[in-house]
Amino acid sequence: MTTPALLPLSGRRIPPLNLGPPSFPHHRATLRLSEKFILLLILSAFITLCFGAFFFLPDSSKHKRFDLGLEDVLIPHVDASKGAKNPGVFLIHGPDEHRHREEEERLRNKIRADHEKALEEAKEKLKKSREEIRAEIQTEKNKVVQEMKTKEKKPLPPVPIPNLIGIDGGDPEDNDIRKKREKIKEMMKHAWDNYRIYGWGHNELRPIARKGHSTNIFGSSQMGATIVDALDTLYIMGLHDEFRDGQKWIEHNLDFSVNSEVSVFEVNIRFIGGLLAAYYLSGEEIFKIKAVQLAEKLLPAFNTPTGIPWAMVNLKSGVGRNWGWASAGSSILAEFGTLHMEFVHLSYLTGDPVYYKKVMHIRKLLQKMDRPNGLYPNYLNPRTGRWGQYHTSVGGLGDSFYEYLLKAWLMSDKTDHEARKMYDDAIEAIEKHLIKKSRGGLTFIGEWKNGHLEKKMGHLACFAGGMFALGADGSRMDKAGHYLELGAEIARTCHESYDRTALKLGPESFKFDGAVEAVAVRQAEKYYILRPEVIETYWYLWRFTHDPRYRQWGWEAALAIEKYCRVSGGFSGVKDVYSSTPTHDDVQQSFFLAETLNVPIRT
């Protein structure tokens, strides 16, 4: 049977009653009369209890919804200027009290009728055999599956694809540069071909064990993360046969209706981002369709009291939660702040504003919040709307939030002034409180923890050199030259973190304490997992300055990866960049194909 949908009533959400058939033991064909009678009594009592609670519990519309100062964002129909009995408490007022009462009465009558209908259906079901009930259940399941397939096949509205410049720009005239580009392409082929042989359909590859690999960010399912993530690189490199192999796998095997808990952030940037990039490059509709199907599965993650999404969501049930290690059950700035570009494009491609509204809601909420020293803490509780631990980082937990603010402005053809202002405000606070110069003259970005600056910089934070250069044009008070120079200083520091290791590959993080500069101290920070951030900054600085040293630094990093990370079955990260005989971690990350190898080919 079909139960009533969720009904809004007096500011609360009333879930549907589950009045489906009872469970039957497998060893009995029918229920005895006495059992039927008892079950009917229990069912009637349950309905009566629900009905009584509905009418006699206090009317929730007379109580506050939020006491966070966020009502104009979270509850558009709140009027804070009338009827408040306590400061900071907002009451919900309808525009017409009489009409409001009539609507409540109509809803009560509807629920009454639905309950009576459900009771009659339950009585009828008790008269049927187990086989008849199971057949009905299967029929209903088939009906739901068919409806889902029909929904998935519904065509999306046609929209113009932007004209992409530079995808087929031809080979460089310089013979040396052309040879280097071909070498990067060969490295991509080595990574892809081995994944194709040993890990096809798995999320990632174990190149030494020569088998598939996955982590908890992708859940328990084989979703082909490497395939989706690498599509744009394959296309840009002209590896069209490999691109078509990936497209066929996606069309026939990529299924999001799985009982799997995934990271909203990782799935957004790797899957939705990868699919949208492939669509814009190739124009193949299947990529757009799959991106929209996945986005619909992520929407339940936003069902929190504040609209700040959970870190994880089950693709089948829609149940969300946060990482157990995050401060007091908080969501993470770099995760919920790195959805904007993909979700805006989803609204553009589908004509459905829901995606745009979700990410703009996040932005509006952040704008209303106080920030200690102008800095955005990395943790925000999605239940209370309050910051968690006061920890600010431009590296892990914070990084891409700032990147997406800047790129939202650029993506809007520089018309999203709100995003630009948020970026400029944030960067000014970061420069004031986090960016310092070491005794040896190296500029670094530290981390702010509870009023104290930790003089440590992560590999992830090295992307900021490129971000500062990218954001130089359009900066306040004609400071373009200043931010371009700041980007160059960060690039130099990150190059030093590579140059001071035995492998000429950078550690996961490095310190600036006393005599130690740009060097990892703890063993747990000495690994390199094929990350792209340093090479990405080189690329931006080369593009904006055409200083040949950035190209040379990028090539040196590529040679080091080729020498120390290449194995017969692909490419692997290393556990200690300071050891001349490195131990491999036996993981070929999907972002190695999507980002690390993507950057050098475009120089």
Side-chain angles (χ1 to χ4, degrees), residues 504-517:
K504 304 304 178 184
L505 292 170
E508 182 68 5
S509 62
F510 39 95
K511 295 288 187 71
F512 294 87
D513 286 336
V516 176
E517 294 195 359

Side-chain angles (χ1 to χ4, degrees), residues 48 106 184 260 417 566:
T48 302
R106 186 187 67 79
I184 301 299
S260 186
H417 303 298
R566 183 168 182 149

